[in-house]
Structures are given as structure tokens and as C-alpha cells.
Amino acid sequence: MFNAQIVDSFKDKETPFYYYDLKLLKNTLTACKEASLPHHFHVHFALKANFNNRVLQVIKDFGFGADCVSGGEVKKALEIGFDAKQVVFAGVGKSDREINDALDKNIFCFNVESIQELEVINELAAKKGKKASVAIRVNPNVDAHTHHYITTGLDENKFGINAWELADVSETLKKCSHLEFLGIHFHVGSQITDMNVFKSLCVKVNEVQSWFEERGMPVKVLNVGGGLGVDYHHPDENNIADFNSYFQIFKDFLEIKPYQEVHFELGRALVAQCSSLITSVLYVKHGIKKNFAIVDAGMTELMRPALYQAYHKIENISRQLDNSEIKNQESKIINYDVVGPICESSDCFGKEVALPETKRGDLIALRTAGAYGEVMASAYNLRPDIRHVYNEL
Ligand code: LLP
């Protein structure tokens, strides 16, 4: 929610910029901690959702671990001060260099996605005279009922090892003396709002852990990935995800043994709501059938609408102030296609968006942009670097 004071503070700032509400971030992290701690669950933040230094600093200070998917993310997590013993390294295509660097840093665990990768990590660890801790990423073939680009847990996806390969996995683990089998890892997809998906995941996790345990291979870590969705349509009414229900499902449906740790890799649910992309209206064009509000941010700053047809709530924050004069002007609501300056037709944040009559210079907020927003920015069209404004009040 943008009150008059905040909107006023934006007036001298160059747009576009990502606005971070660090207070909301802290409230979200507190809610997550309070919901997970009673169950002794371990939460890692998925850096891929947001690697802004200020954001990471706050998350680190709350004691979360880090889930990384590249050597760059491992390096960043350690620079920020995350404990190496709380860093996991996942990813379907880890390079030798990335594996070597992570071995040097003694990270907690590699989430391994193929049998060949197990052999490579073993070989590289042997050269260093080390033992690498590994969790096997198993593809659970659970449908996340989310956008097909962000579904990862089906047999047809490139991620993880399929259940029918587990016999080969256990043979390989027995042969590889420089690997320590720590546990199993899963991730079914992102922006999951149907909690039944997580119940189905628990059933699969139980099956796979029994498979290993029956073969005399204790599973110390159950890593169930991330995926908890947020409410893109109601960012003010519903600004913190329902962590209680989410964690309760795992408590109720996972068969957790006394010696096991349960790990999570949450990205979106921790950071999505705490940021909005703020952009100015450059021009308003009235066509025969359409009106366009052309803004100074584009798909280069926030790619999700262009890439996934993702919905981000769009608000004209210059005309939503608690001021009767402006409120009167607001009585005229017009539909606009809100588009960016990039030379692509897909550079559109929303079609037929109902906004108060909008003028050049108005500030527009693209809400719920804290996850997979600035991390996916590009320099296409030689756009400037991303700017930031932080609010800690
Ligand atoms: N763990 C693994 C193995 C993952 O692949 C992901 C996300 C996460 C954890 C974190 O998931 P989250 O809690 O954030 O849902 N760019 C897309 C989302 C891609 C998600 C990729 N994997 C988007 O903008 O919606």
C-alpha cells in the first residue's frame, strides 16, 4: 500500500526503480520463522528469486540458509555472510569449475541431478582428498498445476533423477568413496497455490525415503524444495503467504524420523510482496479502440509478463492519494494497455487495465515484483542498470 508520504518521497527519484519495503520483508521472514521453528524445519532462501544485497543481508541476519543454483550464487551467498554449512548447491548443469569452487568452500550439500554428475563430483572431490555431501534430486512426477514454464517435477522435465533410475543411483553411491549420501531432494514447481500438490509431494517423498532406508541407506535430510505461491491479485490484503498451513502439511504428511532434518528452499514466498517496480508514464496515446500508457520501465526490468503472461497488479499511485481533490479526478476510470519502451510487442505489462485517468508524469506501481523481478533483468536495448529505493520505516 502506498501512502501519500511514500509516494511523495518518490518524486525526486529517477524512474524506473525497484522499491523495497524492508519492513514487510522482515515481517514475512518473521512469519516464516515462527511457522517453521516449532517443527524444527530448516529454511534456505532460493537466491535465484532475488540476489539484491540489501535483501540478502536481511535474510541472512534472520538465520536462513541459502539455496544456490550457480557458482555465482554460491559466491554471493558466502560474500553476504551466509554460513557455508547452510549453503546448498542445486542445478542440472553444474560445471567442473563450479563444483571445485563449492568443494573448496565446504558447502553443506550438492543437490545432484544425474548419475553422471555423481561420478564427476566424486572424481573432483577425490582429487582434493575430500568427501562431498550429496542429496539426490528425485523427479517425483507430481503435477504442480502451475504455468508450464515453471513446472519442474514431471517426468518430461529436465530436472532430477527419475524413480526408475534409483537402483543405479544406489550402486553408484556405493562405488563412490568420496561421496557421502546425505538425503533426498525434490522440487515440483513454483507459484503453487493448491496445497494438495504439497500433500502429493509428501507421499512421493515417503516412498523414496523408504526405498533408500530398505536398502540400508539412511536418509538424514529430506529437502522438499520450494514453490509456495503468493497472491498477485491482492498484494495488500494478502501480503504474507500462509506459512502456517504450508509447513503444517509437511508436518502432517511426511514420515519424519527422529534423526532426520527437513529442509525447504523457499524463494518467491519470502520476497515477492516486499517489492514493486515503480515507473513513470512517459506518454498517453489514444487509439481508435485502445488507449496506451507508455511507461519508462519495460520487459528489460520486469520480464515475467512478457515471458509467462504473468499477472502483476498495476496501480497509478499518483492518483490514489488520500486527497479529496485528486479523488474527484479519479472518478474517471479508463482502460489502458500499459506498455514499455522496448522494441517488442511482448513488452506489455497488462492489457485493458482499468486506471484513473492517467497523465504524463504519473507514477505507476507494478506490484509483487520482489521475486524473479530484478534478477531476470536484461540490458536489451542497452537499458540502464537497475535502480533501487529502500524503505525501512
Ligand atoms: N528449489 C529449486 C530446485 C527450484 O528450482 C526453485 C525455483 C526453488 C527452489 C524456489 O522456488 P520458489 O519458492 O521461488 O517457487 N522465473 C519463474 C520462477 C522459476 C522458479 C525456478 N525454480 C517466475 O518468474 O515465475
Side-chain angles (χ1 to χ4, degrees), residues 227-345:
L228 176 61
V230 299
D231 192 342
Y232 281 91
H233 289 267
H234 307 98
D236 293 315
E237 299 85 333
N238 228 347
N239 59 4
I240 298 185
D242 185 359
F243 293 109
N244 282 319
S245 310
Y246 172 69
F247 289 122
Q248 194 62 46
I249 285 181
F250 292 93
K251 179 71 188 168
D252 291 343
F253 291 89
L254 275 183
E255 287 157 14
I256 306 168
K257 315 213 167 47
Y259 55 87
Q260 285 179 327
E261 287 181 4
V262 183
H263 290 223
F264 294 80
E265 299 170 342
L266 290 174
R268 190 187 315 264
L270 296 179
V271 291
Q273 299 290 18
C274 76
S275 184
S276 296
L277 177 60
I278 309 294
T279 175
S280 301
V281 176
L282 294 172
Y283 305 102
V284 179
K285 283 213 291 196
H286 298 285
I288 298 174
K289 288 193 181 154
K290 283 217 174 254
N291 301 303
F292 293 96
I294 301 162
V295 297
D296 63 1
M299 59 192 284
T300 41
E301 283 71 44
L302 181 62
M303 199 200 269
R304 304 189 69 255
L307 193 59
Y308 313 117
Q309 302 85 45
Y311 173 83
H312 285 263
K313 190 169 184 198
I314 300 176
E315 291 170 349
N316 182 331
I317 56 174
S318 297
R319 301 194 182 268
Q320 287 179 351
L321 306 183
D322 190 17
N323 171 322
S324 55
E325 199 184 319
I326 292 174
K327 271 205 168 145
N328 285 338
Q329 295 174 13
E330 274 185 13
S331 53
K332 196 166 170 200
I333 299 288
I334 298 178
N335 284 348
Y336 297 92
D337 281 13
V338 178
V339 300
I342 307 303
C343 302
E344 299 274 347
S345 298

Side-chain angles (χ1 to χ4, degrees), residues 46 48-49 67 137 150 185 187 189-191 225-228 265-268 304 308 372 376:
K48 66 173 84 64
D67 162 38
R137 177 167 182 180
I150 51 178
H185 171 233
H187 176 77
S190 199
Q191 184 50 19
L228 176 61
E265 299 170 342
L266 290 174
R268 190 187 315 264
R304 304 189 69 255
Y308 313 117
Y372 307 106
M376 290 170 68

Side-chain angles (χ1 to χ4, degrees), residues 30-76:
T30 303
C32 179
K33 249 186 136 166
E34 286 177 353
S36 58
L37 274 182
H39 308 307
H40 308 288
F41 289 163
H42 298 246
V43 181
H44 300 265
F45 172 62
L47 264 77
K48 66 173 84 64
N50 192 308
F51 46 66
N52 174 294
N53 286 344
R54 293 281 296 273
V55 170
L56 289 181
Q57 198 69 50
V58 173
I59 296 175
K60 192 267 303 178
D61 289 345
F62 266 74
F64 287 79
D67 162 38
C68 305
V69 284
S70 70
E73 286 189 2
V74 172
K75 186 164 172 273
K76 167 72 90 175

Side-chain angles (χ1 to χ4, degrees), residues 86-386:
Q86 282 183 285
V87 170
V88 296
F89 183 15
V92 70
K94 302 177 191 75
S95 71
D96 292 18
R97 182 180 170 165
E98 289 176 315
I99 295 169
N100 275 323
D101 287 348
L103 285 168
D104 290 341
K105 300 290 187 236
N106 299 316
I107 62 157
F108 174 66
C109 186
F110 291 85
N111 292 337
V112 178
E113 307 232 7
S114 67
I115 291 172
Q116 195 170 27
E117 186 190 330
L118 276 177
E119 291 164 347
V120 170
I121 296 177
N122 181 58
E123 197 183 304
L124 296 176
K127 281 194 192 140
K128 292 179 184 293
K130 289 194 165 186
K131 242 182 167 181
S133 295
V134 295
I136 303 300
R137 177 167 182 180
V138 182
N139 185 338
N141 197 22
V142 167
D143 191 344
H145 302 301
T146 183
H147 192 284
H148 62 283
Y149 277 11
I150 51 178
T151 291
T152 46
L154 287 173
D155 281 349
E156 68 213 45
N157 296 124
K158 68 179 175 182
F159 300 98
I161 295 176
N162 292 314
W164 63 83
E165 292 174 289
L166 289 184
D168 289 345
V169 168
S170 84
E171 281 311 303
T172 309
L173 284 169
K174 279 177 198 147
K175 278 195 312 227
C176 293
S177 55
H178 289 269
L179 298 182
E180 190 194 335
F181 173 63
L182 209 61
I184 48 181
H185 171 233
F186 300 80
H187 176 77
V188 278
S190 199
Q191 184 50 19
I192 296 169
T193 49
D194 173 1
M195 292 287 166
N196 288 317
V197 171
F198 296 116
K199 288 186 194 165
S200 310
L201 170 62
C202 289
V203 172
K204 292 287 169 157
V205 176
N206 291 336
E207 277 172 27
V208 175
Q209 64 158 324
S210 305
W211 191 95
F212 279 104
E213 300 255 340
E214 280 160 15
R215 283 156 186 81
M217 300 173 75
V219 179
K220 284 169 243 149
V221 170
L222 303 176
N223 182 336
V224 294
L228 176 61
V230 299
D231 192 342
Y232 281 91
H233 289 267
H234 307 98
D236 293 315
E237 299 85 333
N238 228 347
N239 59 4
I240 298 185
D242 185 359
F243 293 109
N244 282 319
S245 310
Y246 172 69
F247 289 122
Q248 194 62 46
I249 285 181
F250 292 93
K251 179 71 188 168
D252 291 343
F253 291 89
L254 275 183
E255 287 157 14
I256 306 168
K257 315 213 167 47
Y259 55 87
Q260 285 179 327
E261 287 181 4
V262 183
H263 290 223
F264 294 80
E265 299 170 342
L266 290 174
R268 190 187 315 264
L270 296 179
V271 291
Q273 299 290 18
C274 76
S275 184
S276 296
L277 177 60
I278 309 294
T279 175
S280 301
V281 176
L282 294 172
Y283 305 102
V284 179
K285 283 213 291 196
H286 298 285
I288 298 174
K289 288 193 181 154
K290 283 217 174 254
N291 301 303
F292 293 96
I294 301 162
V295 297
D296 63 1
M299 59 192 284
T300 41
E301 283 71 44
L302 181 62
M303 199 200 269
R304 304 189 69 255
L307 193 59
Y308 313 117
Q309 302 85 45
Y311 173 83
H312 285 263
K313 190 169 184 198
I314 300 176
E315 291 170 349
N316 182 331
I317 56 174
S318 297
R319 301 194 182 268
Q320 287 179 351
L321 306 183
D322 190 17
N323 171 322
S324 55
E325 199 184 319
I326 292 174
K327 271 205 168 145
N328 285 338
Q329 295 174 13
E330 274 185 13
S331 53
K332 196 166 170 200
I333 299 288
I334 298 178
N335 284 348
Y336 297 92
D337 281 13
V338 178
V339 300
I342 307 303
C343 302
E344 299 274 347
S345 298
S346 59
D347 185 28
C348 175
F349 290 123
K351 287 193 191 296
E352 301 287 323
V353 183
L355 294 175
E357 186 170 15
T358 292
K359 304 250 164 66
R360 171 173 164 84
D362 284 357
L363 289 174
I364 301 285
L366 296 154
R367 306 292 308 274
T368 320
Y372 307 106
E374 66 166 301
V375 284
M376 290 170 68
S378 88
Y380 183 44
N381 285 197
L382 214 50
R383 298 282 290 168
D385 289 344
I386 298 284

